[in-house]
Amino acid sequence: MAISVQEKFESRQSSLGDGASVELAFVVAGTDDDLAAKQSLRAATPVWYDGLVRQSLNIEPVGPLLWDGKVRYGRMEQQPETGESTFTFDTGGGTQHITQSIQTVGRYPNSAPDFGGAIGVTHESVEGVDITIPVYQFSETHYLPAAVVTAPYRGQLFYLTGKINSASFRGCAAGECLFLGASGSQRTKGQSVYDGDWEISFKFAASPNATGLRVGTISGISKRGWDYMWVRYQDAEDEDSKELIKKPVAVYIESVYESANFAGLGIGS
């Protein structure tokens, strides 16, 4: 027996406004197989109706070889188009362990030894303290054509992860921006993987370059945002208290991240 699908008289109840929707009601006859009834209902109804997309399809048995069918249409959720992008940021900052203050603003009593800004000095070491430092974290989501996101391109993203910018990037001077990596997923629009695009999120962190830094009596220090600065201390005698103290005698700036050209990300500068 052939399966028939017929729309009911009271069908096409709709609502207007931003949440516009319409529900079509049908009678499906000629089978006791729910899967066959549902497949026939799907085949007999369009994907689009009055600018709305088919969102759900339901059937309910009402008698032998007889089903009630309902197909609901609504607005399609708007998706970013290929070539578009979105942007988020966070200025919450990061943490850094330091052993040297900017300035000692008080010593009590007045006869206390002057450690030259060293923090947490003991007989054996300088313990330091963890502080919040300015770190600007941001991410960008780009929708790139499938033809662009090839295996070599994905390999380039892998290579650039953990690198700092060798040239100006997103308003950051060279050495200020660190690429934290990317994650992506493909959105297909047809039968072929080349018919859609890729949604890729790029994550970055920025820390400012600094010049004119001073550690104790050592001045004129410069460092890039992601370089590591450490201080060497040496035992010395404090002239006022005549006690043995630790004072900074050398400052070292270490490059701990490789530099790279972020043009390889393919998202501009």
Side-chain angles (χ1 to χ4, degrees), residues 67-80:
W67 304 80
D68 264 346
K70 293 182 180 179
V71 181
R72 183 176 180 81
Y73 293 82
R75 292 193 185 278
M76 183 175 66
E77 183 178 345
Q78 188 171 359
Q79 297 289 334

Side-chain angles (χ1 to χ4, degrees), residues 69-143:
K70 293 182 180 179
V71 181
R72 183 176 180 81
Y73 293 82
R75 292 193 185 278
M76 183 175 66
E77 183 178 345
Q78 188 171 359
Q79 297 289 334
E81 297 293 331
T82 302
E84 293 183 343
S85 62
T86 60
F87 182 88
T88 62
F89 71 92
D90 179 6
T91 61
T95 59
Q96 180 179 358
H97 187 78
I98 63 170
T99 57
Q100 199 73 24
S101 70
I102 298 173
Q103 179 184 5
T104 300
V105 295
R107 286 187 288 131
Y108 304 93
N110 292 333
S111 59
D114 181 2
F115 292 111
I119 299 172
V121 178
T122 67
H123 289 295
E124 293 79 22
S125 64
V126 179
E127 295 180 349
V129 66
D130 291 329
I131 65 168
T132 297
I133 60 172
V135 175
Y136 172 51
Q137 299 183 10
F138 62 99
S139 64
E140 302 179 8
T141 300
H142 291 258
Y143 300 86

Side-chain angles (χ1 to χ4, degrees), residues 186-207:
Q186 190 170 20
R187 307 188 306 174
T188 57
K189 296 181 179 178
Q191 297 298 320
S192 170
V193 294
Y194 299 104
D195 290 341
D197 59 12
W198 282 80
E199 178 182 319
I200 302 181
S201 294
F202 301 81
K203 302 176 182 63
F204 304 90
S207 183

